[in-house]
């Protein structure tokens, strides 16, 4: 039988509810921690209570005698794993390769896994396990100037210097020299990290919640010295990732226990454990020095950032990175430095580098605009570069100023009196602020398979990870258009390492990478069907691989851009800051599904409110651990904190992408905190350079009207 595709549907660009939405709201969609397995055992991680030292002994006898307990794994009896390999993102963080030695490098380090017949029995036994330590002095203090700080190359050079900085600063009519700080912040996704491991016919199977099953499968294969074909990882539904859900301690511990017991073992992290074991955003200290002519043209731009990492693994929050894209200057110096402390290793967290970096850079630009007597938007217009300020490469598209102009018109910016502290509404001081946003627009090699069935339907297999972004639905729309069929005729399978290599859900690169592969396979299949190929009962399958096409892309500066606007109300008597309204206008490539895209933008902007006013993880210097490592002690924006938020976009397709996609998952948070901080200055006349802008900080700073 031959089935020709129907006319093009133009599904891309039209609002479409999630194809799995009904399953999620009815409970039919199963997440990693709730899929049933026969003979399932439950593992519970035991974490260190000291911040530095050694494990002297683990008293297992009494725990093994407790009801339901079947095993206690620790450094003295756990399987040995390979730690010297290089994975997708480099060498593994030793926190992942659990129970390999007696060293404790930070509070919350995994020291044991208790396995029992039920989760309740495992938890009770884990809490009863006695671990003896040899404690050593620790250092968790993220000081202003740490003597051991050093530069680290991380997805780009640590230090880039162009021009004579001191000479240009000396020749500048206006100079801004300021420091900004951001605190330790945590992902806190709704679905905790969870994994179940089992052996089936000599093959390791892991059901997990992650941002890339092929990534996790390849890491486990190397760690346990297995052939890649002997490992299968599935992750169909994920309740949030934000950079945190890669290879973690719970997956490795589950595989170890399943190997030792030869039965399925599930390990689910508690919220408190997630604060120690799943990464976070490092605190930063950032110094900005801007020098400009009297007309606001930048002569000098210096952005230096310091962040923290653990003593066992390097991860750097590249906060100085955005400056290399946003504004040009005759002298342009940026540096990312790192200090090692006795703390857990940070990791990628939504808009890593760009989120804290944009707060400092865009706040400093606002300060420069004030000193120059310029409107903040006009200052950015005068310093909008034609090519990459550092790279010199052309932009694939740079519609930042168009975003500002559209946003200013819709926000009512022209009516703004630039003088601070003038607008009042009862006890509230009112202010407005703005900031720019950018995030890299990349793509990673991926494969996809598209099968034409004899009944006229199509099955797409691509190892994507839908971490709540709506990727499954977006890929359905892309495939429907490429096949020139209705979306109802397309079924997309994702989240299974057996589907083959594909890029991870990260860096705002997921949907772009997968859609490219789906598009290539679907178009080839459509051409074959147009030639009249007969479809056998098993269907006709075409497979694509975008490695060569992506590798052939010309070098360009590829970014999404945006303009953030915020209005705040500040109560000078209580220090309370309320965000009254926000508007974000973005140039982020072709928008595949307006419905879920708007959700992504608004979600990021909401997180920006949280970053500006609430989020702050505080470490106890005495214990090295957190105060309030839960969602009661760690404050995030709630419904009452979120005002009317509007997100929209301008036409901005990427000419080098087959669908025109750039990426939208992270840019919504970029610049949002700066826009709010700039609005607080406009309301009160006081600059707040340390996040979050808590009521006590507002009261201490007072009002300078």
């Amino acid at each position: 039988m031959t089935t020709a595709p129907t006319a093009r549907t133009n599904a891309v660009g039209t609002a479409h509810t999630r194809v799995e939405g009904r399953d999620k709201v009815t409970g039919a969609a199963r997440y990693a921690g709730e899929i049933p397995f026969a003979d399932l055992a439950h593992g519970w991680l035991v974490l260190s209570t000291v911040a530095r030292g050694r494990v002297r002994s683990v008293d297992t006898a009494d725990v093994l005698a407790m009801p339901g307990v079947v095993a206690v794994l620790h450094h003295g009896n756990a399987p040995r794993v390979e730690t010297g390999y290089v994975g997708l993102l480099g060498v593994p963080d030793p926190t992942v390769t659990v129970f390999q030695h007696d060293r404790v490098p930070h509070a919350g380090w995994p020291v044991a896994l208790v396995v029992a017949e039920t989760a309740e029995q495992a938890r009770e036994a884990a809490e009863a396990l006695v671990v003896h330590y040899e404690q050593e002095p620790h250092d968790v203090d993220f000081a202003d100037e740490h003597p051991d700080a050093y530069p680290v190359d991380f997805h780009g050079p640590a230090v880039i210097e162009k021009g004579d900085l001191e000479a240009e600063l000396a020749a500048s009519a206006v100079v801004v020299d300021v420091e900004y700080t951001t605190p330790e912040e945590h992902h806190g996704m709704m679905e905790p990290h969870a994994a179940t491991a089992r052996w089936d016919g000599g093959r390791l199977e892991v059901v997990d919640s992650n941002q890339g099953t092929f990534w996790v499968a390849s890491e486990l294969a190397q760690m346990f010295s297995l052939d890649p074909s002997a490992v299968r990882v599935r992750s169909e539904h994920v309740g949030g990732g934000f950079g945190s859900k890669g290879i973690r301690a719970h997956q490795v511990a589950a595989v170890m226990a399943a190997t030792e017991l030869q039965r399925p073992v599930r390990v689910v992290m508690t919220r408190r454990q997630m604060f120690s074991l799943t990464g976070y955003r490092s605190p930063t200290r950032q110094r900005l020095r801007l020098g400009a002519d009297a007309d606001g043209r930048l002569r000098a731009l210096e952005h230096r950032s310091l962040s923290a990492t653990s003593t066992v693994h390097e991860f750097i929050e590249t906060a100085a990175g955005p400056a290399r894209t946003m504004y040009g200057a005759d002298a342009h110096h940026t540096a990312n430095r790192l200090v090692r402390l006795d703390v857990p290793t940070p990791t990628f967290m939504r808009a890593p580098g760009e989120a804290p970096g944009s707060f400092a850079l865009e706040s400093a630009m606002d300060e420069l605009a004030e000193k120059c007597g310029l409107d903040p938007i006009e200052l950015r217009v005068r310093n909008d570069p034609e090519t990459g300020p550092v790279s010199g490469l052309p932009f694939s598209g740079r519609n930042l100023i168009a975003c500002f102009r559209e946003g200013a018109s819709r926000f009512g910016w022209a009516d703004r009196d630039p003088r601070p502290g003038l607008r009042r509404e009862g006890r509230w001081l009112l202010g407005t602020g703005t900031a720019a946003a950018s995030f890299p627009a990349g793509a990673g090699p991926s494969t996809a398979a598209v099968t034409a069935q004899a009944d006229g339907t199509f099955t797409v297999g691509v190892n994507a990870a839908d971490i709540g972004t709506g990727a499954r639905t977006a890929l359905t729309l892309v495939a429907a258009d490429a096949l020139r069929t209705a979306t109802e005729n397309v079924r997309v399978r994702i989240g299974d390492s057996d589907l083959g290599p594909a890029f991870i859900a990260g860096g705002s690169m997921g949907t772009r990478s997968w859609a490219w592969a789906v598009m290539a396979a679907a178009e080839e299949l459509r051409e074959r069907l147009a030639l009249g190929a007969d479809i056998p009962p098993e269907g006709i399958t075409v497979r694509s691989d975008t490695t060569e096409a992506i590798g052939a892309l010309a070098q360009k500066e590829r970014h999404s851009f945006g303009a953030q606007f915020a209005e705040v109300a500040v109560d000078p008597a209580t220090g309370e800051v309320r965000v009254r309204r926000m508007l974000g206008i973005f140039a982020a490539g072709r928008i595949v599904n307006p419905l879920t895209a708007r959700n992504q933008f608004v979600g990021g902007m909401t997180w920006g409110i949280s970053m500006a006013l609430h989020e702050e993880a505080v470490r106890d210097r005495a214990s090295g651990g957190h105060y309030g490592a839960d969602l009661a002690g760690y404050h995030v924006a709630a419904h009452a904190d979120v005002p009317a938020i509007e997100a929209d976009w301008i036409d901005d397709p990427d000419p080098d992408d087959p669908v025109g996609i750039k990426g939208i998952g992270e840019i919504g948070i970029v610049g949002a905190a700066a826009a709010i901080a700039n609005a607080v200055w406009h309301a009160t006349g006081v600059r707040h350079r340390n996040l979050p802008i808590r009521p006590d900080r507002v009261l201490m700073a007072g009002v300078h009207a």
Side-chain angles (χ1 to χ4, degrees):
M1 175 181 178
T2 301
T3 302
T6 59
R8 179 178 290 275
T9 63
N10 291 322
V12 171
T14 61
H16 200 292
T17 57
R18 296 172 188 260
V19 295
E20 82 285 10
R22 181 178 292 274
D23 287 345
K24 285 184 172 177
V25 299
T26 60
R30 294 277 182 88
Y31 290 82
E34 55 190 18
I35 297 174
F37 288 90
D39 197 31
L40 178 65
H42 298 264
W44 202 277
L45 287 165
V46 178
L47 308 187
S48 69
T49 57
V50 303
R52 186 177 179 87
R54 293 182 180 275
V55 176
R56 288 197 289 109
S57 62
V58 182
D59 294 347
T60 61
D62 290 344
V63 167
L64 287 169
M66 294 178 70
V69 176
V70 295
V72 179
L73 298 181
H74 53 84
H75 73 276
N77 63 5
R80 302 296 96 183
V81 297
E82 177 62 43
T83 60
Y85 70 89
V86 178
L88 177 67
L89 299 181
V91 296
D93 182 348
T95 312
V96 173
T97 54
V98 293
F99 317 140
Q100 299 300 291
H101 53 75
D102 63 355
R103 291 292 310 171
V104 174
H106 61 75
W109 176 266
V111 295
L113 180 78
V114 176
V115 186
E117 298 293 344
T118 69
E120 293 78 11
Q121 290 171 332
R123 178 173 187 168
E124 183 180 7
E127 291 174 349
L129 184 68
V130 176
V131 180
H132 300 278
Y133 300 95
E134 179 183 311
Q135 193 167 354
E136 300 172 3
H138 63 265
D139 179 11
V140 299
D141 187 17
F142 186 59
D144 290 357
E145 272 300 327
H146 203 289
D148 298 327
Y150 61 100
V152 177
D153 296 340
F154 190 79
H155 298 286
V159 178
I160 296 180
E161 297 182 345
K162 182 186 79 172
D164 189 330
L165 182 71
E166 298 302 331
E168 294 296 342
L169 284 169
S172 297
V174 181
V175 174
V176 169
D177 185 348
V178 284
E179 182 177 277
Y180 301 88
T181 69
T182 61
E184 179 180 321
E185 300 168 348
H186 286 257
H187 304 74
M189 69 293 299
M190 287 195 296
E191 181 203 15
H193 294 62
T196 303
R198 68 169 182 166
W199 289 91
D200 184 14
R203 194 180 194 210
L204 175 63
E205 292 195 357
V206 178
V207 175
D208 187 28
S209 177
N210 62 53
Q211 295 179 230
T213 60
F214 197 82
W215 171 26
V216 173
S218 65
E219 298 276 340
L220 291 174
Q222 292 180 87
M223 203 175 297
F224 288 91
S225 302
L226 299 170
D227 188 277
S229 64
V231 182
R232 182 187 187 190
V233 176
R234 290 182 291 140
S235 184
E236 185 175 0
H237 298 290
V238 181
F242 310 119
S244 173
K245 286 186 175 174
I247 183 71
R248 296 290 175 195
H250 67 295
Q251 299 135 320
V252 179
V255 173
M256 285 180 172
T259 302
E260 290 293 295
L261 299 173
Q262 287 300 300
R263 61 186 289 192
V265 176
R266 172 172 294 156
V267 179
V268 179
M269 288 195 194
T270 66
R271 185 69 60 185
R272 182 171 290 272
Q273 289 172 345
M274 288 166 60
F275 273 77
S276 298
L277 294 179
T278 63
Y280 56 95
R281 197 193 306 280
S282 165
T284 70
R285 292 187 179 276
Q286 303 175 57
R287 185 185 182 189
L288 270 294
R289 289 199 291 170
L290 305 178
D293 291 337
D295 64 358
R297 188 186 69 84
L298 283 169
R299 299 179 64 106
L301 189 160
E302 180 187 35
H303 190 169
R304 297 186 179 275
S305 176
L306 177 68
S307 60
T309 192
S310 68
T311 59
V312 297
H313 191 68
E314 283 184 341
F315 182 91
I316 188 165
E317 187 76 17
T318 54
R324 299 172 181 176
T325 298
M326 294 306 295
Y327 308 110
D330 298 318
H332 202 291
H333 289 202
T334 51
N336 290 300
R337 296 185 306 136
L338 196 61
V339 60
R340 289 185 180 272
L341 298 173
D342 299 313
V343 297
T345 307
T347 193
F348 303 97
M349 179 166 159
R350 198 174 196 176
E354 273 76 10
S358 67
F359 163 66
L361 177 62
E362 293 300 311
S363 296
M365 287 293 286
D366 206 69
E367 297 199 40
L368 180 64
E370 178 196 356
K371 281 195 168 187
C372 290
L374 287 173
D375 179 84
I377 296 177
E378 177 59 27
L379 177 69
R380 289 166 173 84
V381 171
R382 295 184 185 187
N383 289 285
D384 191 49
E386 294 184 1
T387 60
V390 172
S391 69
L393 294 172
F395 287 98
S396 64
R398 184 183 172 100
N399 287 315
L400 174 63
I401 303 307
C403 291
F404 270 115
R405 287 175 175 150
E406 175 68 15
S409 173
R410 291 169 61 164
F411 194 74
W413 188 261
D415 299 329
R416 177 183 190 259
D417 188 324
R419 295 172 297 173
L422 296 182
R423 289 180 62 203
R424 283 185 175 270
E425 188 177 280
R427 73 178 194 273
W428 299 98
L429 292 170
L430 306 184
T432 53
T434 189
S438 74
F439 196 82
S446 298
T447 63
V450 182
T451 301
Q453 310 291 350
D455 62 0
T457 62
F458 300 88
T459 300
V460 176
V462 58
N463 199 5
D466 191 336
I467 59 175
T469 58
R472 182 190 275 102
T473 307
L475 295 173
T476 300
L477 305 185
V478 170
D481 277 4
L483 293 164
R484 298 183 182 174
T485 189
T487 56
E488 293 78 16
N489 295 332
V490 178
R491 175 176 175 263
V492 176
R493 294 181 57 232
I494 65 171
D496 186 337
S497 61
D498 278 358
L499 292 171
F503 199 72
I504 63 174
S508 292
M509 298 166 66
T511 298
R512 177 175 181 171
S513 302
W514 309 318
W516 196 323
V518 168
M519 188 92 164
E523 287 186 337
E524 182 181 340
L525 177 60
R526 191 187 73 234
E527 291 172 2
R528 288 180 59 178
L529 294 176
L531 295 175
D534 289 332
I535 302 178
E538 67 274 15
I540 296 177
T541 299
V542 171
R543 189 167 185 84
S544 66
D545 186 336
T546 63
T547 303
E548 185 176 344
I550 290 175
L553 282 172
Q555 281 197 315
K556 293 182 181 179
E557 288 267 1
R558 304 179 190 277
H559 305 270
S560 294
F561 291 96
Q564 304 271 17
F565 295 82
E567 179 180 70
V568 304
V570 181
D571 185 341
T574 65
E576 181 182 3
V577 178
R578 286 281 179 179
V579 177
R580 289 162 57 113
R581 61 187 177 109
M582 287 188 75
L583 169 67
I585 302 292
F586 302 96
R590 189 180 183 195
I591 302 302
V592 177
N593 184 358
L595 185 64
T596 52
R598 186 168 280 106
N599 288 346
Q600 285 296 294
F601 290 135
V602 169
M605 293 167 70
T606 302
W607 207 338
I609 297 173
S610 207
M611 180 181 182
L613 304 181
H614 301 286
E615 294 193 45
E616 182 180 25
V618 180
R619 289 195 175 273
D620 177 7
R621 292 184 181 181
S623 70
H626 284 115
Y627 292 106
D630 50 48
L631 292 183
Y634 180 80
H635 294 175
V636 297
H639 284 293
D641 299 299
V642 179
I645 300 183
E646 185 181 358
D648 211 339
W649 47 86
I650 63 175
D651 191 40
D652 181 53
D654 188 329
D656 298 324
D657 183 90
V659 187
I661 298 171
K662 283 187 176 178
I664 63 174
E666 291 165 280
I667 193 172
I669 189 178
V670 181
I676 293 168
N678 293 338
V680 171
W681 167 79
H682 188 233
T684 65
V686 177
R687 293 284 178 187
H688 287 269
R689 302 186 181 102
N690 306 298
L691 294 184
I693 305 173
R694 303 187 311 250
D696 63 305
R697 286 176 169 167
V698 175
L699 290 175
M700 288 178 64
V703 175
H704 297 168

